[in-house]
Amino acid sequence: MNGRIKSSYKDALNAGRITARVKNASRKWIKEGVLISDFADKVENEIIRLKAKPAFPVNISLNECAAHDTARVNDERVFSEGNVVKIDLGVHINGWIGDTAYTVEISSDRYKKLIEASNKALLKAQKAARKGIELREIGRIIHEVISGEGFNPIYNLGGHPLMQYQQHGGFIIPNYDNYDKKKLEEPLFAIEPFATNGDGYVKNGSRAFIYNLVSEKPTRSMISRKVLTFIRREYNTLPFAERWIARKFKLYKPALRLLTGEGILHAYPMLIEKTGGIVSQHENTILLNDEKIITTEL
Ligand code: MN
Ligand code: MN
């Protein structure tokens, strides 16, 4: 085991355990008619109640949106019949992250098979994960399971290593055989298959509700300086929601716009399936040590 992760092993494991608990609790909170913003508050407050912090805003992405949507400022949307909802949540302790996702369909089961496809792919891929496995082999397994169910994986999304205060570091664990012969040596990583009845590619949407700090350049205006100081202290380099900033700063909109324009913040646009396909997603975090631990399952 690598020394850096050894000292952080406990934090990564505990973060994963809390992620799993909140995930399990949250399954009961998704119901037809529930306000998406109430659901988001509940998830994030539960993480804090369990003495950890959200590693990123809970992603609540509907239908053809694969990822990076969340509750918005004054969001009036409710979960509605037939919505295919991806819940992607993360918890961190001292920057060590548990990252997990699941999909549910509200009050119907038209997309049961699609939802099962990404889950089956995850189960098979995490079973195969071991030190030294080629990344392409994990991708091959995911693709095989999903295409066997009659769907496409999302080819331009994938799993990733989890480093301290870095949700996406280093390389991609593909959702298809991309010929990457690189061997899996990272001790902490997430596998996240997406399945779709569309062509299997996401594009950036036009709106972003999630940001993170990417540069330490100085900013020019007073208000963006204040917001930046807050962001650095509260979130470090981890992603945060526009609505979190709106709670503290009336002028959150111009501040976020300025900081993004200056290249100090990165905005994460919503990711939309290009052909309008419905998307499902499942994800777990895995700690590969002397033994293999799926940290985000109890
Ligand atoms: Mn995730
Ligand atoms: Mn992830």
Side-chain angles (χ1 to χ4, degrees):
M1 167 163 49
N2 138 351
R4 194 168 54 86
I5 191 82
K6 193 166 190 174
S7 61
S8 315
Y9 173 92
K10 266 197 166 154
D11 286 344
L13 191 59
N14 288 337
R17 292 306 184 225
I18 292 171
T19 317
R21 284 178 64 181
V22 177
K23 168 168 68 175
N24 292 345
S26 77
R27 289 178 190 274
K28 293 167 215 135
W29 303 334
I30 306 185
K31 282 196 184 109
E32 188 173 354
V34 168
L35 268 169
I36 287 178
S37 62
D38 284 349
F39 175 84
D41 286 345
K42 241 174 155 171
V43 168
E44 291 164 1
N45 290 338
E46 182 67 1
I47 293 169
I48 291 160
R49 194 183 70 81
L50 294 172
K51 306 208 170 356
K53 286 182 176 173
F56 48 85
V58 57
N59 283 214
I60 306 168
S61 305
L62 307 182
N63 306 326
E64 72 281 0
C65 178
H68 297 173
D69 199 358
T70 188
R72 305 159 189 182
V73 178
N74 300 322
D75 199 337
E76 287 175 1
R77 294 174 302 158
V78 295
F79 293 122
S80 316
E81 186 185 335
N83 286 166
V84 174
V85 185
K86 276 78 62 191
I87 301 299
D88 191 331
L89 67 130
V91 170
H92 84 91
I93 295 175
N94 296 321
W96 293 98
I97 300 169
D99 185 3
T100 196
Y102 65 96
T103 303
V104 292
E105 183 176 351
I106 308 295
S107 303
S108 61
D109 55 8
R110 214 175 134 203
Y111 294 102
K112 197 173 173 185
K113 211 177 150 209
L114 176 73
I115 292 169
E116 255 320 291
S118 55
N119 193 35
K120 281 184 189 165
L122 174 62
L123 294 179
K124 194 155 182 195
Q126 70 191 22
K127 200 166 173 196
R130 57 178 162 75
K131 253 201 177 115
I133 191 173
E134 289 180 359
L135 298 182
R136 64 181 292 182
E137 173 61 9
I138 297 177
R140 191 194 61 75
I141 291 167
I142 290 170
H143 190 188
E144 183 179 76
V145 172
I146 291 174
S147 60
E149 297 290 321
F151 303 107
N152 277 311
I154 302 279
Y155 297 96
N156 57 344
L157 290 176
H160 49 88
L162 287 157
M163 330 258 239
Q164 192 176 25
Y165 287 108
Q166 269 178 42
Q167 196 204 346
H168 292 151
F171 55 88
I172 299 244
I173 302 174
N175 287 331
Y176 67 105
D177 179 358
N178 67 347
Y179 300 103
D180 190 348
K181 290 184 190 298
K182 181 179 160 58
K183 290 185 164 69
L184 184 66
E185 302 294 352
E186 288 293 322
L188 187 69
F189 57 90
I191 296 181
E192 51 180 313
F194 292 78
T196 180
N197 58 5
D199 281 359
Y201 291 89
V202 290
K203 61 176 183 190
N204 286 340
S206 53
R207 304 177 72 189
F209 305 98
I210 299 173
Y211 298 82
N212 81 319
L213 176 62
V214 289
S215 159
E216 279 300 337
K217 281 190 289 197
T219 179
R220 301 168 72 87
S221 88
M222 180 67 91
I223 176 64
S224 51
R225 252 199 303 278
K226 282 188 178 163
V227 171
L228 183 57
T229 303
F230 176 79
I231 289 167
R232 194 182 294 119
R233 189 185 67 225
E234 293 293 320
Y235 314 123
N236 195 322
T237 50
L238 290 172
F240 58 88
E242 177 190 70
R243 65 188 148 84
W244 295 354
I245 306 304
R247 278 178 206 149
K248 297 274 172 186
F249 300 94
K250 234 161 105 182
L251 294 175
Y252 68 95
K253 257 192 180 169
L256 291 174
R257 199 181 312 121
L258 276 167
L259 289 165
T260 306
E262 288 170 325
I264 294 167
L265 296 183
H266 169 74
Y268 291 86
M270 289 166 62
L271 298 175
I272 313 287
E273 209 286 327
K274 272 184 183 169
T275 53
I278 302 293
V279 180
S280 74
Q281 174 204 17
H282 285 83
E283 177 179 25
N284 273 324
T285 296
I286 296 164
L287 188 59
L288 261 189
N289 196 354
D290 307 325
E291 50 173 344
K292 174 164 65 183
I293 303 173
I294 314 293
T295 71
T296 49
E297 293 285 349
L298 290 178

